[in-house]
Structure formats: C-alpha cells, structure tokens
Amino acid sequence: GWKNAISTTIINFNNEKMQITWAARELFPGENVSFSYTFDESKHKVWKPCPTYLLDQDYNSGCLFKTEGPTLAISIRNNNGSEELFSKRLKSDFYIKPSRPENVTFFWNEDTVTVSCNKPERAVKCLRLELQYKSKFDKQWQSRTSKCCSVGEQGFDPRKCYSFRVRLKRLVPYCNVVNYSSDWEAETFWMNGTLLDSCNDDIKPQSNTVIVLNCLLAVLLMMLIFLILLCKWQRLQKSVMPSIPDPKHIFDDLFSDHNGNFQEWIDKTDHAVVQTKLEYEEPECITEAESPQDVEKKSNKLGPQEKIFSFSGAAENNDPKEAQIACLMPMSNTIASFAGFQILMNDDIYVML
C-alpha cells in the first residue's frame, strides 16, 4: 500500500504534454529511479520509457512526455527496472492546465469594459475566463469571472489608469480534480479606452500638478496670515506707541523759504509772533490814584449783582492813597476784597481799588 501513498504532481498541459514529478531525494534517497508510462488500455500494455527526465541535483525527479489519450498508467522502478517502487492509473483529462487565452481584445463603452478571446478547440464548457484589474489607487487586484470566452465589467473611471490581465480556468470538480488555471496573459494598461505603455506616465504628471497646487495654496495662506498680523501690529503700535510728528512739516518754511538758515528764519518768526500778539493784546489797564472816600462812593453805586473783593496794602508807587486799576475784561459783575485791595468786576470791567 505504501506504493500508492507516494505523492506526485501531475499536469496535463492543454491536453498536449504530460508532466509528472516526485520528490526524489525524500522518497528515494541515494537512488536514481526510472520512469515508464502507457496510454494503452489493453491487457497487454506496452510501456514506454521516459523520453525527457527532469533532474534535481542529478537525480531523476520527473518526466515530460506527450499526451496520447484520456487514460494514463505510470510506473516508477529502481535504477535497473527490476523492482517497481510506485504505480498509478489516472484520467489525464482531469489534470488539464489550459493554455493562455489567445487574441485578447478590449471593448470600451463609456464606463463598461468587455474583454474577449478566441475559443479553444476543445472543452470550452469546462473553461472560464477570469479578468483582473486594478487602478493606481488599488492595492489588490479586483477579479471578475465569466463563461468562456467573454467577460464584462462596469464602473471604470475614465480619469484613472487601469492595469488588466486575463487567464483561463478549469472548472472543479466537474472537469478537473485539481484547480488548474492558465498563465496570465501579458498585462496591459488602459485609460479611458486608450492603450498606454504603463500607468507610470499617468501618475507623474498628476503628482507634479498636485505638488504645485499644494505649494501655491501654502504660499497664499502664508501671505494672508502675514497681512492679518501686519494690520494687527500696526493697530497695536499706534495704541501703544503714538506716532511722532515729523519736524520737517512743522518747519516747512525753514527749508523752503530760508534754505535752512535758522537765524534768518527765527528772526522772521519772532517778528511775526510779536505782530500777532499785538493784534490780540488785551485792553490796557488804567491806573488812577483816588482817595478812599471816592472809592467808597463808587462801591455804594454798584448794582445788586456786583460784589467787592478788597486787598490790603499800598500801591507800588508808595502813594499813601490806594491805587485804582480799571481793566476791561469779559467777566461777571463781582467785587472781591483781599488784604486791603478791592477788585470791582462789573460785566467786562475789572476795577482794582
């Protein structure tokens, strides 16, 4: 029973070639075995030796031969063929690995893609066409499977670049005992129905555009922040440190009329100030010497709204009489008396007694 327990790998390449391999070093250490096969179903089978051996470190680890029928019998013997080490009978049609799809075409209709290929000559019902695709934003392949030999998928974004690949699969367990698929057809790149050499050509321009836009937005944002801070700083500066007037505007005539000659400018300015003072000079006060009796008489003649303020002391000229000073000033009618001096204020007249 141990002969049937030996593990082998059996592949029927599109029903054209058979490949059978085994673990030579683990199963038959130190011995180079021989292989024979037959597709003959009669009682007197004709065994054929392996035409092409597969080697593993100079040990026979497999055999490659032509497929000649649906029923296969194999036998592994020792080096001289005197002892059979392993034997097995099988259906070669249950180990078929299909070939790659031929003449693959892509048909685009807006966001829908239909992929088709030529139909194989045999066992079309056992085959399925598998389509896989992904965009530059997808990490894994998206898969879609349909009957041979056309498959369609919708929802493609015309702005994205997609990678496509297709292969044929055998149905399990109705047609195969092993899940064999063909090798992938060459990968193609499409964008909005246009065939490209690769999706890298599409990624780089978009990446550069995104980088430029991000830089511009960052610069504009920084400028806006700078303008806001500048306005706030100017307001703070005006409130904390008021601006100092420019003396150039105060002394415009010094530079424009006198060419910076300060002495000439100050002389002219002093003369103008004197003239201005004279124009607005208050009325001259009149000082008269009167006797106390006259003063008392004038005081008695004042109206009810008048008051007397008296000042004590003598006049500056040391006259024994008190001095009376009359000044025209816009004041209310009041008389004040302080230390012997008297001030008469009647409407716009000041009188010092």
PDB file of all heavy atoms in Angstrom, residues 243-259:
ATOM      1  N   SER A 243       2.502 107.822  17.002  1.00  0.00           N
ATOM      2  CA  SER A 243       3.490 108.284  16.016  1.00  0.00           C
ATOM      3  C   SER A 243       3.980 109.686  16.372  1.00  0.00           C
ATOM      4  O   SER A 243       3.221 110.554  16.800  1.00  0.00           O
ATOM      5  CB  SER A 243       2.861 108.285  14.627  1.00  0.00           C
ATOM      6  OG  SER A 243       1.724 109.131  14.593  1.00  0.00           O
ATOM      7  N   ILE A 244       5.267 109.932  16.212  1.00  0.00           N
ATOM      8  CA  ILE A 244       5.908 111.224  16.495  1.00  0.00           C
ATOM      9  C   ILE A 244       5.810 112.092  15.249  1.00  0.00           C
ATOM     10  O   ILE A 244       6.169 111.645  14.151  1.00  0.00           O
ATOM     11  CB  ILE A 244       7.374 111.035  16.894  1.00  0.00           C
ATOM     12  CG1 ILE A 244       7.444 110.133  18.141  1.00  0.00           C
ATOM     13  CG2 ILE A 244       8.061 112.364  17.141  1.00  0.00           C
ATOM     14  CD1 ILE A 244       8.853 109.782  18.543  1.00  0.00           C
ATOM     15  N   PRO A 245       5.297 113.310  15.379  1.00  0.00           N
ATOM     16  CA  PRO A 245       5.166 114.166  14.186  1.00  0.00           C
ATOM     17  C   PRO A 245       6.525 114.473  13.589  1.00  0.00           C
ATOM     18  O   PRO A 245       7.521 114.635  14.288  1.00  0.00           O
ATOM     19  CB  PRO A 245       4.458 115.415  14.709  1.00  0.00           C
ATOM     20  CG  PRO A 245       4.729 115.415  16.179  1.00  0.00           C
ATOM     21  CD  PRO A 245       4.826 113.989  16.586  1.00  0.00           C
ATOM     22  N   ASP A 246       6.547 114.557  12.300  1.00  0.00           N
ATOM     23  CA  ASP A 246       7.781 114.845  11.573  1.00  0.00           C
ATOM     24  C   ASP A 246       8.065 116.339  11.645  1.00  0.00           C
ATOM     25  O   ASP A 246       7.251 117.158  11.198  1.00  0.00           O
ATOM     26  CB  ASP A 246       7.629 114.392  10.121  1.00  0.00           C
ATOM     27  CG  ASP A 246       8.956 114.462   9.371  1.00  0.00           C
ATOM     28  OD1 ASP A 246       9.962 114.891   9.977  1.00  0.00           O
ATOM     29  OD2 ASP A 246       8.969 114.086   8.180  1.00  0.00           O
ATOM     30  N   PRO A 247       9.195 116.753  12.242  1.00  0.00           N
ATOM     31  CA  PRO A 247       9.505 118.196  12.342  1.00  0.00           C
ATOM     32  C   PRO A 247       9.673 118.852  10.989  1.00  0.00           C
ATOM     33  O   PRO A 247       9.607 120.076  10.883  1.00  0.00           O
ATOM     34  CB  PRO A 247      10.809 118.208  13.150  1.00  0.00           C
ATOM     35  CG  PRO A 247      11.401 116.852  12.952  1.00  0.00           C
ATOM     36  CD  PRO A 247      10.255 115.923  12.802  1.00  0.00           C
ATOM     37  N   LYS A 248       9.865 118.094   9.956  1.00  0.00           N
ATOM     38  CA  LYS A 248      10.049 118.681   8.628  1.00  0.00           C
ATOM     39  C   LYS A 248       8.816 119.448   8.202  1.00  0.00           C
ATOM     40  O   LYS A 248       8.901 120.500   7.573  1.00  0.00           O
ATOM     41  CB  LYS A 248      10.376 117.584   7.629  1.00  0.00           C
ATOM     42  CG  LYS A 248      10.603 118.098   6.223  1.00  0.00           C
ATOM     43  CD  LYS A 248      10.967 116.953   5.303  1.00  0.00           C
ATOM     44  CE  LYS A 248      11.175 117.469   3.879  1.00  0.00           C
ATOM     45  NZ  LYS A 248      11.527 116.385   2.940  1.00  0.00           N
ATOM     46  N   HIS A 249       7.621 118.932   8.562  1.00  0.00           N
ATOM     47  CA  HIS A 249       6.381 119.610   8.181  1.00  0.00           C
ATOM     48  C   HIS A 249       6.129 120.835   9.045  1.00  0.00           C
ATOM     49  O   HIS A 249       5.434 121.753   8.619  1.00  0.00           O
ATOM     50  CB  HIS A 249       5.214 118.637   8.296  1.00  0.00           C
ATOM     51  CG  HIS A 249       5.365 117.426   7.415  1.00  0.00           C
ATOM     52  ND1 HIS A 249       5.302 117.489   6.049  1.00  0.00           N
ATOM     53  CD2 HIS A 249       5.613 116.124   7.728  1.00  0.00           C
ATOM     54  CE1 HIS A 249       5.476 116.280   5.532  1.00  0.00           C
ATOM     55  NE2 HIS A 249       5.687 115.433   6.544  1.00  0.00           N
ATOM     56  N   ILE A 250       6.637 120.820  10.281  1.00  0.00           N
ATOM     57  CA  ILE A 250       6.461 121.978  11.162  1.00  0.00           C
ATOM     58  C   ILE A 250       7.335 123.135  10.683  1.00  0.00           C
ATOM     59  O   ILE A 250       6.957 124.296  10.757  1.00  0.00           O
ATOM     60  CB  ILE A 250       6.802 121.601  12.618  1.00  0.00           C
ATOM     61  CG1 ILE A 250       5.879 120.466  13.061  1.00  0.00           C
ATOM     62  CG2 ILE A 250       6.685 122.798  13.542  1.00  0.00           C
ATOM     63  CD1 ILE A 250       6.187 119.966  14.448  1.00  0.00           C
ATOM     64  N   PHE A 251       8.490 122.795  10.205  1.00  0.00           N
ATOM     65  CA  PHE A 251       9.447 123.818   9.762  1.00  0.00           C
ATOM     66  C   PHE A 251       9.571 123.812   8.241  1.00  0.00           C
ATOM     67  O   PHE A 251      10.681 123.831   7.691  1.00  0.00           O
ATOM     68  CB  PHE A 251      10.809 123.583  10.407  1.00  0.00           C
ATOM     69  CG  PHE A 251      10.783 123.499  11.904  1.00  0.00           C
ATOM     70  CD1 PHE A 251      10.896 122.280  12.549  1.00  0.00           C
ATOM     71  CD2 PHE A 251      10.615 124.644  12.678  1.00  0.00           C
ATOM     72  CE1 PHE A 251      10.863 122.196  13.921  1.00  0.00           C
ATOM     73  CE2 PHE A 251      10.584 124.564  14.055  1.00  0.00           C
ATOM     74  CZ  PHE A 251      10.699 123.342  14.688  1.00  0.00           C
ATOM     75  N   ASP A 252       8.435 123.746   7.561  1.00  0.00           N
ATOM     76  CA  ASP A 252       8.475 123.745   6.094  1.00  0.00           C
ATOM     77  C   ASP A 252       9.105 125.020   5.554  1.00  0.00           C
ATOM     78  O   ASP A 252       9.925 124.992   4.620  1.00  0.00           O
ATOM     79  CB  ASP A 252       7.064 123.581   5.529  1.00  0.00           C
ATOM     80  CG  ASP A 252       6.590 122.144   5.656  1.00  0.00           C
ATOM     81  OD1 ASP A 252       7.454 121.253   5.809  1.00  0.00           O
ATOM     82  OD2 ASP A 252       5.367 121.913   5.609  1.00  0.00           O
ATOM     83  N   ASP A 253       8.702 126.163   6.144  1.00  0.00           N
ATOM     84  CA  ASP A 253       9.227 127.428   5.625  1.00  0.00           C
ATOM     85  C   ASP A 253      10.708 127.593   5.911  1.00  0.00           C
ATOM     86  O   ASP A 253      11.397 128.346   5.222  1.00  0.00           O
ATOM     87  CB  ASP A 253       8.443 128.599   6.215  1.00  0.00           C
ATOM     88  CG  ASP A 253       8.384 128.528   7.729  1.00  0.00           C
ATOM     89  OD1 ASP A 253       8.755 127.466   8.281  1.00  0.00           O
ATOM     90  OD2 ASP A 253       7.973 129.518   8.376  1.00  0.00           O
ATOM     91  N   LEU A 254      11.244 126.885   6.944  1.00  0.00           N
ATOM     92  CA  LEU A 254      12.688 126.964   7.214  1.00  0.00           C
ATOM     93  C   LEU A 254      13.485 126.432   6.036  1.00  0.00           C
ATOM     94  O   LEU A 254      14.521 127.009   5.662  1.00  0.00           O
ATOM     95  CB  LEU A 254      13.014 126.182   8.490  1.00  0.00           C
ATOM     96  CG  LEU A 254      14.511 125.987   8.816  1.00  0.00           C
ATOM     97  CD1 LEU A 254      15.184 127.344   9.065  1.00  0.00           C
ATOM     98  CD2 LEU A 254      14.663 125.079  10.029  1.00  0.00           C
ATOM     99  N   PHE A 255      12.988 125.360   5.407  1.00  0.00           N
ATOM    100  CA  PHE A 255      13.715 124.747   4.297  1.00  0.00           C
ATOM    101  C   PHE A 255      13.313 125.325   2.944  1.00  0.00           C
ATOM    102  O   PHE A 255      14.137 125.411   2.037  1.00  0.00           O
ATOM    103  CB  PHE A 255      13.485 123.224   4.306  1.00  0.00           C
ATOM    104  CG  PHE A 255      13.947 122.560   5.568  1.00  0.00           C
ATOM    105  CD1 PHE A 255      13.054 122.274   6.580  1.00  0.00           C
ATOM    106  CD2 PHE A 255      15.282 122.231   5.748  1.00  0.00           C
ATOM    107  CE1 PHE A 255      13.471 121.664   7.743  1.00  0.00           C
ATOM    108  CE2 PHE A 255      15.699 121.632   6.904  1.00  0.00           C
ATOM    109  CZ  PHE A 255      14.796 121.335   7.907  1.00  0.00           C
ATOM    110  N   SER A 256      12.003 125.694   2.833  1.00  0.00           N
ATOM    111  CA  SER A 256      11.540 126.168   1.525  1.00  0.00           C
ATOM    112  C   SER A 256      11.852 127.647   1.298  1.00  0.00           C
ATOM    113  O   SER A 256      12.242 128.043   0.198  1.00  0.00           O
ATOM    114  CB  SER A 256      10.040 125.925   1.393  1.00  0.00           C
ATOM    115  OG  SER A 256       9.350 126.626   2.414  1.00  0.00           O
ATOM    116  N   ASP A 257      11.691 128.490   2.365  1.00  0.00           N
ATOM    117  CA  ASP A 257      11.860 129.940   2.194  1.00  0.00           C
ATOM    118  C   ASP A 257      13.250 130.428   2.586  1.00  0.00           C
ATOM    119  O   ASP A 257      13.736 131.427   2.041  1.00  0.00           O
ATOM    120  CB  ASP A 257      10.813 130.692   3.034  1.00  0.00           C
ATOM    121  CG  ASP A 257       9.400 130.340   2.593  1.00  0.00           C
ATOM    122  OD1 ASP A 257       9.250 129.864   1.454  1.00  0.00           O
ATOM    123  OD2 ASP A 257       8.462 130.530   3.400  1.00  0.00           O
ATOM    124  N   HIS A 258      13.908 129.730   3.556  1.00  0.00           N
ATOM    125  CA  HIS A 258      15.188 130.232   4.074  1.00  0.00           C
ATOM    126  C   HIS A 258      16.347 129.278   3.818  1.00  0.00           C
ATOM    127  O   HIS A 258      17.459 129.509   4.327  1.00  0.00           O
ATOM    128  CB  HIS A 258      15.050 130.488   5.586  1.00  0.00           C
ATOM    129  CG  HIS A 258      13.961 131.454   5.928  1.00  0.00           C
ATOM    130  ND1 HIS A 258      14.069 132.833   5.784  1.00  0.00           N
ATOM    131  CD2 HIS A 258      12.703 131.214   6.389  1.00  0.00           C
ATOM    132  CE1 HIS A 258      12.939 133.412   6.157  1.00  0.00           C
ATOM    133  NE2 HIS A 258      12.070 132.442   6.523  1.00  0.00           N
ATOM    134  N   ASN A 259      16.091 128.213   3.078  1.00  0.00           N
ATOM    135  CA  ASN A 259      17.166 127.266   2.724  1.00  0.00           C
ATOM    136  C   ASN A 259      17.930 126.758   3.938  1.00  0.00           C
ATOM    137  O   ASN A 259      19.151 126.580   3.896  1.00  0.00           O
ATOM    138  CB  ASN A 259      18.138 127.893   1.728  1.00  0.00           C
ATOM    139  CG  ASN A 259      17.481 128.213   0.406  1.00  0.00           C
ATOM    140  OD1 ASN A 259      16.585 127.483  -0.037  1.00  0.00           O
ATOM    141  ND2 ASN A 259      17.909 129.320  -0.218  1.00  0.00           N
TER     142      ASN A 259
END
